[in-house]
Amino acid sequence: QKEVEQNSGPLSVPEGAIASLNCTYSDRGSQSFFWYRQYSGKSPELIMSIYSNGDKEDGRFTAQLNKASQYVSLLIRDSQPSDSATYLCAVNTYNAGNMLTFGGGTRLMVKP
Amino acid sequence: DADVTQTPRNRITKTGKRIMLECSQTKGHDRMYWYRQDPGLGLRLIYYSFDVKDINKGEISDGYSVSRQAQAKFSLSLESAIPNQTALYFCATRTGDNYGYTFGSGTRLTVV
């Protein structure tokens, strides 16, 4: 079992819709969670961090964390074609020496 | 100027050649990392360093070596490049456990 799992996609949504990206993790002791956006051939860019159960909103982005169920999600409201990218979930994994463990990423396609 | 700078941006080299990828940062972070990214395999940790005197192997360190010349500089070397080291390489920095990584712009390496 991978430590951080994401559906690879592609997830296709129409422009203006809500895109929902999900991530599960295996290390129950994890305390810090991050979402990165990566355009093709570019470096990952940090867009959200979340540490407590519940929702955290930043503009069109909402991160959701449920530690009991060991999942973290990212909602993108009013999706735009410029949101088309691969979204990486990263979890601070204490079992791995406090490294960030990355999921394989979900490719999002927003169609005009 | 970028906070984390990688050089070169692109490099084509021949099998058996020694090559060095360089990373420098202006963020003042102690922690530095080298990752490689391959399609379908995600980001994999090669080496990491928590300070100048602390160097640690990651999950795929074979065939690679590193040097932490200063707090701000962390270089990755391929002693004898082979074609399956063709990948996108990222340097990253981090200030602490509850913070995400800041990535450099990446080096696209092709070994022919």
Side-chain angles (χ1 to χ4, degrees), chain B residues 84-112:
Chain B
N84 76 0
Q85 291 177 313
T86 293
L88 190 53
Y89 289 83
F90 290 108
C91 173
T93 72
R94 190 184 198 191
T95 188
D97 292 347
N98 289 329
Y99 295 86
Y101 293 165
T102 299
F103 285 89
S105 53
T107 294
R108 183 170 295 281
L109 177 66
T110 303
V111 183
V112 297

Side-chain angles (χ1 to χ4, degrees), chain B residues 5-60:
Chain B
T5 302
Q6 289 185 237
T7 55
R9 292 295 305 274
N10 293 281
R11 179 73 180 266
I12 300 173
T13 192
K14 293 183 177 181
T15 298
K17 292 291 186 181
R18 184 179 188 274
I19 183 171
M20 178 182 288
L21 309 183
E22 298 188 343
C23 176
S24 63
Q25 52 120 343
T26 58
K27 296 186 74 68
H29 293 169
D30 288 326
R31 305 182 187 192
M32 298 187 74
Y33 307 82
W34 275 104
Y35 282 85
R36 66 177 280 176
Q37 188 174 41
D38 301 270
L41 296 178
L43 283 161
R44 293 184 291 166
L45 181 63
I46 306 172
Y47 270 95
Y48 63 100
S49 170
F50 284 179
D51 66 40
V52 175
K53 296 181 180 180
D54 179 71
I55 303 289
N56 303 281
K57 293 181 177 181
E59 60 181 300
I60 54 163

Side-chain angles (χ1 to χ4, degrees), chain A residues 68-87:
Chain A
S69 299
Q70 294 176 248
Y71 82 78
V72 57
S73 61
L74 179 71
L75 301 178
I76 306 175
R77 290 182 300 281
D78 188 24
S79 295
Q80 302 296 309
S82 59
D83 295 325
S84 298
T86 296
Y87 290 79

